[in-house]
Amino acid sequence: MSKLLVFLLVLFAIYWVRRLLTKPKTPPPAGPAPREPQASMRMLSCQRCGVHVPENEGVRRGGDFYCCEEHARGGH
């Protein structure tokens, strides 16, 4: 019985060493693609309340810049 256990241990050791030596060289898993740097957005001040808002989120009226449609209309 002990010879069978030794034989199985030797087979397992050979299998394990062979597996380590023939391990495929795979590249590391690709993570998310690097993001493109975003263009910086100009921050403009509202003519009414003075809050700074990105230019693409505000409203332009008559050459002036406002943070929202309500301030552009002149409402409260």
Side-chain angles (χ1 to χ4, degrees), residues 1 3 5 8 13-14 19 33 41 44-45 56 67 73:
M1 182 71 172
K3 287 183 181 183
L5 288 176
L8 290 176
I14 291 171
R19 187 169 167 231
M41 193 62 58
L44 300 176
S45 176
N56 66 337
C67 64
R73 283 192 308 252

Side-chain angles (χ1 to χ4, degrees), residues 2-70:
S2 66
K3 287 183 181 183
L4 180 62
L5 288 176
V6 171
F7 179 71
L8 290 176
L9 280 173
V10 169
L11 282 180
F12 178 75
I14 291 171
Y15 168 77
W16 183 70
V17 169
R18 185 173 178 206
R19 187 169 167 231
L20 285 177
L21 293 176
T22 60
K23 194 172 195 177
K25 305 261 191 274
T26 58
R35 296 187 334 173
E36 293 286 323
Q38 294 181 350
S40 33
M41 193 62 58
R42 282 191 337 167
M43 299 289 283
L44 300 176
S45 176
C46 176
Q47 291 295 323
R48 179 133 193 242
C49 65
V51 170
H52 286 80
V53 179
E55 186 176 18
N56 66 337
E57 293 181 18
V59 179
R60 285 198 177 272
R61 288 277 164 83
D64 293 329
F65 181 81
Y66 299 95
C67 64
C68 62
E69 190 66 41
E70 183 179 349

